[in-house]
Amino acid sequence: MRIAVLCHASAGGSGVVATELGMLLADSGHEVRFIGASVPFRLSGRHHLRGPYFHQVGNYAYALFEQSFPEITQANALAEVIYEHDVQLTHAHYAIPHATSAIHARAITGRTRVITTLHGTDVTLVGLDPAFKHSTRYAIERSDHVTAVSHFLADQTREMFGVDTPIEVIHNFVDTQRFQRNHDPAVRARFAHPEEAILVHVSNFRAVKRTEDVIEAFARVSTELPARLLMIGDGPDRPRAFELAQKLGVLGRTQFLGSFPDVETVLSIADLFMLPSQQESFGLVALEAMSCEVPVVAARIGGIPEVVEDGVTGILCEVRDVDAMADAALRILRDPATYHAMGRAGRERALTHFHPSLILPRYLAAYERLIPAETT
Ligand code: GMT
């Protein structure tokens, strides 16, 4: 099948899912083309002659225009790729602007079917803003098929937008080969002494991630046992998290490692993963941690309970309840039996519920319903 993919290139779960899915599809013989302003974060260095291919959307500036029009330039670039490569199906990850661009390109070309995957804030936050609400509803209603990454998100979409469009829930997946425990003490030694616990947080440091709660919870944990905190990613709240670490006297035990694509190098040696988000439609990075046998302490919010099994693969706490999160972390880290059992259960859950071999066929079946096999 000839497939175009639109996604956000910046470090974030929707781009990760789009990229990993595109790689899997290309590996199984499909012709996959990413179209965007820049190469998606995790695709960097991985697209090659056999695909997935990357087509860049130019940034067109003209003196008369007060702003650029990425939705139009992306739709135009997609239309070009559809004409040149006879693209049959466009998979838009995140409603805005990708689904609207894809629908626009479909109207221009009279070709391609559009499948939209809703990821989170495209529905729960930004998509609901009056600046985007009508366009988001239009994108949902006019896509040929819509999927959501959790039951929570599908329900929210129906409720918030009052749409009766069928929404298929296809959970995210994790590459369990890539995300697995690394037992090499030398790798661990790069970040901590053997007696220290390693706590990790990964996000794009937006307000919804509540990164300061990670710092506060860690400050309490580290008064009780030797520990290090590794903060991975970057975004608007990073300076505030840094300042709080300084203020609470834990900066010496905290490393802000910035953003990099191979987060498994750190997750694979972690002892605990923290995700105190205020909103999270799925929590892909919690799944990646589970796949690395890392127990998760997270907020009981959104789609997280569909991923992290409370009391089994981690502990869920109320949003903002930093004390409960610190207690949960201590309970896990102080009891080796609980720690190992949760780690193993997390890995098992990743293998049995979120393995690519379970999820890829779901997407392929959706594609094939739109593009029957005899026309490919
Ligand atoms: O919707 C967002 O905030 C952005 C998006 C991203 O690109 O990081 O995150 C969402 O999609 C991920 C992949 O499906 C999910 O794992 C995240 O939970 C979800 N984020 C939120 O709902 C806040």
Side-chain angles (χ1 to χ4, degrees), residues 119-120 124 150 152 203 206 208-209 275-285 299 301-305:
H119 281 273
T124 57
S150 62
F152 161 81
S203 76
R206 287 172 301 157
V208 287
K209 301 292 177 180
L275 193 64
S277 312
Q278 188 172 323
Q279 282 186 19
E280 207 68 70
S281 67
F282 184 88
L284 180 64
V285 71
I301 195 80
I304 290 183

Side-chain angles (χ1 to χ4, degrees), residues 129-172:
D129 190 283
F132 291 113
K133 190 167 179 180
H134 297 302
S135 301
T136 309
R137 183 188 294 111
Y138 173 83
I140 294 165
E141 288 181 335
R142 299 298 172 89
S143 295
D144 295 303
H145 188 58
V146 179
T147 73
V149 299
S150 62
H151 293 282
F152 161 81
L153 188 60
D155 292 344
Q156 283 282 300
T157 308
R158 283 186 281 263
E159 195 179 312
M160 299 296 184
F161 289 94
V163 291
D164 53 13
T165 315
I167 300 173
E168 182 183 6
V169 175
I170 304 183
H171 281 139
N172 289 330

Side-chain angles (χ1 to χ4, degrees), residues 37-48:
S38 37
V39 178
F41 184 61
R42 277 212 196 157
L43 189 63
S44 182
R46 292 168 80 198
H47 56 301
H48 42 64

